[in-house]
Amino acid sequence: MTEPPQQHYLELSENPVQFEHASSVNNVFFDEANKQVFAVRSGGATGVVVKGPDDKSSVAFRMDDKGEVKCIKFSIGNKILAVQRTSKSVDFINFIPDYPHTEFSQECKTKNANVLGFCWTNWNEIVFITDQGIEFYQVFPDKRSLKLLKNQSINVNWYQYCPETAVILLSTTVQGNILQPFAFRNGTMSKMSKFEIELPVIPKPAKLSLSERDIAMATIYGQLYVMYLKHHSRTANSPSAEVVLYHLPREGACKKSHVLKLNTTGKFALNIVDNLVVVHHQSSQTSLIFDIKLKEPDCAVNTHQPVLPARSIHPYRMPLAGPAVVPSQPPVPCQLYSSSWSVFQPDIIISASEGYLWYLQVKLHPTVNLLQDKGKLMDFLLRRRDCKMVILSVCSQILEGGDKGSLPVVATVFDKLNQVYKEYLEAEQSYTVAMESGPSRGSAAQKRPVRTQAVIDQSDMYTHVLSSFTERKEVSHKFVIAVLMEYIRSLNQHQITVQHYLYELVIKTLVQHNLFYMLHQFLQYHVLSDSKPLACLLLSLESTYPPAHQLSLDMLKRLSTANDEIVEVLLSKQQVLGALRFIRSVGGHDNVSARKFLDAARQTGDQMLFYTVFRSFQQRNQRLRGSPAFNPGEHCEEHVVHFKQLFGEQALMKPSTV
C-alpha cells in the first residue's frame, strides 16, 4: 500500500538543470562554487557543455585535446577557466572579452608533489591542493601568468572545500582524522585551528582511517560545521550510525557540538536544506531530517533524534526527450535513491546517468500532521523560510476544535509567535534610533532588520485566523472570548502595543452574545486598553447598551486626546448626535463648524436628524450672537435652502426679541 502523497515532506525541484548524461559523454564534473555541471566529450578536440542554475551561467565551447580532463571549473562569473589534465599542473583559458584566448599553464611549486585538485576562492584567486600542501595563487589574465601569494607544507590525504565560507579542509596523518582548515578572504590565507575526528573504536589489530565520503562541510544557521558520518562500530552499545557535527569558528577551537542519531546502519548521504540536516538512507530509500536548534527534552545535551518519521522523497517523473518521443507518452518515473546519484552541499542531487541536477526542497504542509506536539511544531516552522501561511493554518487548525482543553496549547503557540514578533519590533526600533542619531565613530553601519516570514504580526493573526474564527457558529462564544483574551494577554506580556481592531473584535463578540456585564468589567479593570477607535465603537453601542455612552466619555477623558479627531471619526460612522453630545460634554460646541455637522446629517438621509442638528446650531447662533442666522463665513447657505425645502420657511427659528 502506497503512502498518501501529503506524507512526503521532501521533493526534487520542478525545473531541474538538464545536461548530457554520462552514457553520451566521457566525463561529468560538478563545480560546487558556481553550481555548474561540465559535460566533457573528448576526441580530436574536447567539447565542453556547461549547464548552470540559469542561462547566464550556461556555456558551450571547444578546447584542444591535451589529455584526459581530471578536473574543470570556472572562476566566479565564468571569467577564467581552469583545467587539470596532469598531476603536476593546471591549465588556464581566459573567457574575459578582448583578452587573449590562448591557454597558459602553472606547475605546482613543490617538487615531487601531485596536484589533488584546485579551488577558486575569488574570480582571480586559486588554490592548488597537492599531497604535500597547498599553494595560493593570484591569476593575471592579461599577462597570462600566476603569482604565488602563499604556500603551506603539510601531508594531505584528501581535501574538501566550502565555497560559501571559502574554507578548505585538509585530511592529514596516516588515519586521516586530523583535519586542518584554511580560510581565504581578499587575497589572504589564514590557518585555522586543527582538530581531531573521533573514529569508532574497533578491535585490534584492525585500523580504521577517515574516508572523504564520510565528511561534508556546510553552513547551518549561519555557522560552519564539519559533518562526520560515523558508521556502525560493531560494538554492542552503539549498533547504529550517527552524524557528528563539529562547529568550526573562524577563530578559536573546533568543538564537537551535535550528535544526530540515525537509529539504523547502511549507506548514507547528507544534504542541508533550509538549515535542516537531511540524511538519505539508500537501502530503505527514505530520508530523515534534523533541526539542531530543536532540543530534545529526554536526551543528553545536543543529542538529536529525527524531527519527523523517515519518509521517501516525493516521487518524481522525468519527461521524455529526443526525436522518437510521441507527445502522448507519459513521463517516466525517476529511480529515487539510485546508486548513480551524487549528493553535493548544500542541497544538490545529481544523476549523471540521467543527466539531471535537482535542488532538494522541504515541503512544510505535510509536516503539520506528522509532528503532534504543537509547541515543537511551531519551533520547527518558525525557523523555516516559507513558513507564514503554514503557521497561520496551524493556528486555525488548533482553534477549530473549540476545546477549552486546548487553551494551554493556544497560549504556548501565541507566546512563541509573539516572542519572534517582539524581537523583530525591538530590532526595528534600535535600527530607527541608530539612524536618527547618525553613525557613531568606530561602529559598523547598522543593517536594517530583515522581516522574515516568521514574523506573524497582529494584522496577520486578525486577517487569517481570528476574524474568521469569531464567526464560527459551532464554536462556543466562551471559547472564542478566551482565545481572543489569550492573544491579548500574550501581546501584553511581550510588551507589544495591542492594535485597536483586536479590542473591537472582543467588544463585538461580547455585544453579539449580550455579555454586557463582561464588557463593563473588561473596561472597568482596563483589560481593554483605552484608545480613540475603541471609544468611538462604544459610542456607537449606546442604542444597544446605554451605559456605553458614559464608558466612552470616561475613556476619552482619560485619553485627553484631540477632540476634533474624535468628532471626525464619529461623523464618518454617521454618529452625528453622538458627536454633538460629545462636543458639548468637552465644552467645544461653541467653536465647531456647523457646516461639518450639517453635511454629515444630510448624508444620512434622515430628515428628522437633519432638523435636530440644524435647530441645535440655530440655538447656538442665537445664544452667541443674538440671531439664529448663520454668518456668511460659515458657508451654510445650501443647508438653509435645503431646510426650507423640507420644512418650509416658517420652520426657521425667528430672532428672539429682548
Side-chain angles (χ1 to χ4, degrees):
M1 187 177 166
T2 57
E3 289 173 353
Q6 67 269 23
Q7 294 292 301
H8 304 282
Y9 48 76
L10 289 167
E11 64 181 355
L12 301 173
S13 51
E14 275 184 33
N15 300 310
V17 175
Q18 287 182 264
F19 56 91
E20 289 187 80
H21 49 79
S23 60
S24 64
V25 294
N26 298 81
N27 258 317
V28 174
F29 300 93
F30 179 63
D31 172 15
E32 290 182 66
N34 291 316
K35 310 281 188 283
Q36 290 172 318
V37 181
F38 289 75
V40 179
R41 184 189 278 110
S42 302
T46 303
V48 182
V49 177
V50 185
K51 288 293 182 79
D54 51 45
D55 292 337
K56 282 182 188 173
S57 53
S58 301
V59 64
F61 56 89
R62 302 180 82 77
M63 57 188 186
D64 295 338
D65 194 346
K66 295 181 179 178
E68 185 193 348
V69 174
K70 294 177 182 290
C71 184
I72 183 167
K73 294 174 192 173
F74 269 117
S75 71
I76 295 156
N78 289 7
K79 287 185 167 64
I80 307 165
L81 180 73
V83 185
Q84 184 191 346
R85 297 182 174 100
T86 73
S87 60
K88 299 295 178 187
S89 66
V90 177
D91 302 325
F92 297 88
I93 306 171
N94 283 329
F95 274 74
I96 303 168
D98 305 325
Y99 273 56
H101 198 64
T102 47
E103 285 191 23
F104 55 104
S105 189
Q106 177 67 49
E107 282 196 6
C108 64
K109 298 282 186 188
T110 314
K111 278 187 179 179
N112 304 320
N114 293 312
V115 178
L116 302 176
F118 60 85
C119 302
W120 287 102
T121 58
N122 205 333
W123 79 268
N124 65 341
E125 290 167 8
I126 193 166
V127 183
F128 290 6
I129 300 96
T130 74
D131 54 3
Q132 293 180 36
I134 54 175
E135 301 172 3
F136 183 34
Y137 292 95
Q138 185 174 358
V139 184
F140 295 94
D142 51 342
K143 296 174 183 172
R144 297 172 53 246
S145 64
L146 282 79
K147 175 190 173 186
L148 182 67
L149 298 174
K150 201 169 183 182
N151 65 337
Q152 176 85 38
S153 293
I154 183 171
N155 286 331
V156 180
N157 303 310
W158 47 262
Y159 73 95
Q160 291 218 351
Y161 179 53
C162 176
E164 202 178 340
T165 53
V167 170
I168 291 177
L169 194 65
L170 306 178
S171 159
T172 69
T173 70
V174 177
Q175 284 186 288
N177 64 325
I178 304 292
L179 300 182
Q180 175 63 65
F182 288 88
F184 298 83
R185 185 182 287 168
N186 302 329
T188 62
M189 176 177 102
S190 49
K191 195 176 184 180
M192 297 165 73
S193 300
K194 69 178 176 183
F195 61 100
E196 182 178 355
I197 297 282
E198 296 171 27
L199 297 174
V201 178
I202 58 168
K204 290 179 180 179
K207 279 193 175 179
L208 198 65
S209 61
L210 182 64
S211 165
E212 181 182 359
R213 288 192 306 272
D214 295 333
I215 293 287
M217 272 197 298
T219 302
I220 309 168
Y221 291 116
Q223 299 294 315
L224 180 60
Y225 288 90
V226 173
M227 301 184 287
Y228 166 46
L229 197 48
K230 193 174 184 180
H231 287 283
H232 176 35
S233 60
R234 291 184 175 81
T235 56
N237 60 352
S238 59
S240 296
E242 56 192 30
V243 178
V244 184
L245 266 59
Y246 292 82
H247 178 223
L248 188 54
R250 280 268 167 186
E251 292 170 9
C254 177
K255 289 181 182 172
K256 178 178 169 179
S257 57
H258 299 274
V259 177
L260 316 180
K261 294 288 187 183
L262 304 184
N263 307 317
T264 186
T265 58
K267 278 189 177 179
F268 301 95
L270 302 172
N271 274 133
I272 304 295
V273 185
D274 204 0
N275 290 312
L276 296 167
V277 181
V278 181
V279 184
H280 307 291
H281 186 226
Q282 194 178 19
S283 57
S284 67
Q285 299 200 352
T286 58
S287 301
L288 294 165
I289 60 171
F290 295 85
D291 186 346
I292 62 170
K293 282 208 174 175
L294 278 183
K295 295 283 189 290
E296 295 288 338
D298 53 345
C299 291
V301 178
N302 295 338
T303 299
H304 304 265
Q305 291 293 335
V307 178
L308 302 168
R311 291 287 184 268
S312 67
I313 294 168
H314 194 282
Y316 185 87
R317 293 181 173 275
M318 297 179 296
L320 293 169
V325 174
V326 178
S328 60
Q329 270 184 283
V332 179
C334 169
Q335 189 193 338
L336 301 175
Y337 303 91
S338 160
S339 56
S340 73
W341 275 17
S342 300
V343 172
F344 295 92
Q345 299 313 316
D347 55 356
I348 286 166
I349 294 172
I350 291 178
S351 172
S353 62
E354 290 159 330
Y356 278 85
L357 179 153
W358 294 282
Y359 291 94
L360 188 64
Q361 297 168 339
V362 174
K363 295 196 296 178
L364 294 181
H365 276 288
T367 66
V368 172
N369 298 320
L370 290 170
L371 201 52
Q372 296 308 312
D373 181 335
K374 297 305 175 199
K376 191 174 173 184
L377 173 64
M378 210 44 72
D379 288 335
F380 173 78
L381 292 174
L382 281 166
R383 297 192 187 100
R384 307 287 74 85
R385 234 186 337 257
D386 302 318
C387 61
K388 178 167 280 188
M389 295 318 293
V390 182
I391 288 172
L392 292 167
S393 74
V394 169
C395 292
S396 295
Q397 192 183 40
I398 295 168
L399 299 180
E400 266 172 21
D403 175 21
K404 270 197 173 177
S406 67
L407 264 180
V409 178
V410 171
T412 301
V413 167
F414 286 162
D415 285 343
K416 286 181 184 293
L417 296 182
N418 288 328
Q419 180 60 40
V420 176
Y421 181 22
K422 174 64 175 173
E423 285 166 9
Y424 170 74
L425 291 175
E426 283 179 341
E428 187 71 44
Q429 190 178 8
S430 65
Y431 171 78
T432 306
V433 169
M435 288 300 101
E436 285 170 356
S437 59
S440 55
R441 231 181 260 170
S443 68
Q446 197 168 347
K447 286 184 180 175
R448 181 166 199 145
V450 177
R451 182 174 180 141
T452 66
Q453 286 210 13
V455 179
I456 310 287
D457 63 18
Q458 296 172 67
S459 156
D460 295 322
M461 281 299 291
Y462 176 84
T463 307
H464 298 284
V465 180
L466 298 175
S467 58
S468 56
F469 168 63
T470 57
E471 289 164 13
R472 293 176 70 97
K473 298 285 186 284
E474 68 275 19
V475 180
S476 84
H477 62 267
K478 286 182 181 176
F479 182 66
V480 170
I481 292 160
V483 167
L484 293 175
M485 295 316 297
E486 197 55 62
Y487 186 57
I488 289 168
R489 186 268 321 151
S490 178
L491 290 168
N492 284 325
Q493 190 174 308
H494 288 87
Q495 297 174 312
I496 300 168
T497 306
V498 182
Q499 294 297 317
H500 65 86
Y501 47 75
L502 291 172
Y503 289 137
E504 285 179 15
L505 203 56
V506 173
I507 291 173
K508 282 173 183 173
T509 307
L510 292 170
V511 169
Q512 198 178 343
H513 297 282
N514 296 319
L515 298 171
F516 295 111
Y517 68 95
M518 197 181 278
L519 170 61
H520 211 110
Q521 283 184 315
F522 280 175
L523 292 165
Q524 200 172 354
Y525 296 108
H526 306 294
V527 175
L528 306 177
S529 298
D530 295 348
S531 74
K532 282 183 277 187
L534 207 57
C536 293
L537 177 64
L538 288 170
L539 276 177
S540 71
L541 294 174
E542 188 186 354
S543 57
T544 319
Y545 181 55
H549 180 72
Q550 192 55 48
L551 289 167
S552 166
L553 290 181
D554 294 343
M555 185 180 286
L556 290 167
K557 280 167 189 168
R558 285 195 299 272
L559 286 166
S560 62
T561 52
N563 297 328
D564 291 347
E565 198 176 329
I566 296 160
V567 168
E568 291 289 350
V569 175
L570 286 169
L571 291 178
S572 71
K573 292 189 173 184
Q574 297 196 331
Q575 301 287 321
V576 186
L577 289 181
L580 209 51
R581 274 197 292 271
F582 166 72
I583 209 70
R584 278 192 186 129
S585 72
V586 294
H589 184 240
D590 290 356
N591 304 314
V592 294
S593 159
R595 181 179 172 175
K596 183 188 290 184
F597 280 80
L598 291 168
D599 283 345
R602 193 168 165 183
Q603 278 170 9
T604 64
D606 183 337
Q607 293 183 4
M608 287 317 295
L609 175 65
F610 181 74
Y611 181 90
T612 307
V613 173
F614 189 90
R615 183 50 65 92
S616 163
F617 281 103
Q618 278 198 312
Q619 288 167 347
R620 180 193 74 168
N621 296 344
Q622 176 70 41
R623 180 169 50 81
L624 293 177
R625 297 194 292 268
S627 167
F630 292 98
N631 283 341
E634 291 183 273
H635 306 293
C636 293
E637 294 82 5
E638 63 174 289
H639 293 302
V640 173
V641 171
H642 183 64
F643 185 88
K644 287 179 187 174
Q645 285 171 346
L646 291 177
F647 308 108
E649 192 156 348
Q650 70 281 4
L652 282 171
M653 194 174 159
K654 301 292 185 286
S656 58
T657 52
V658 179

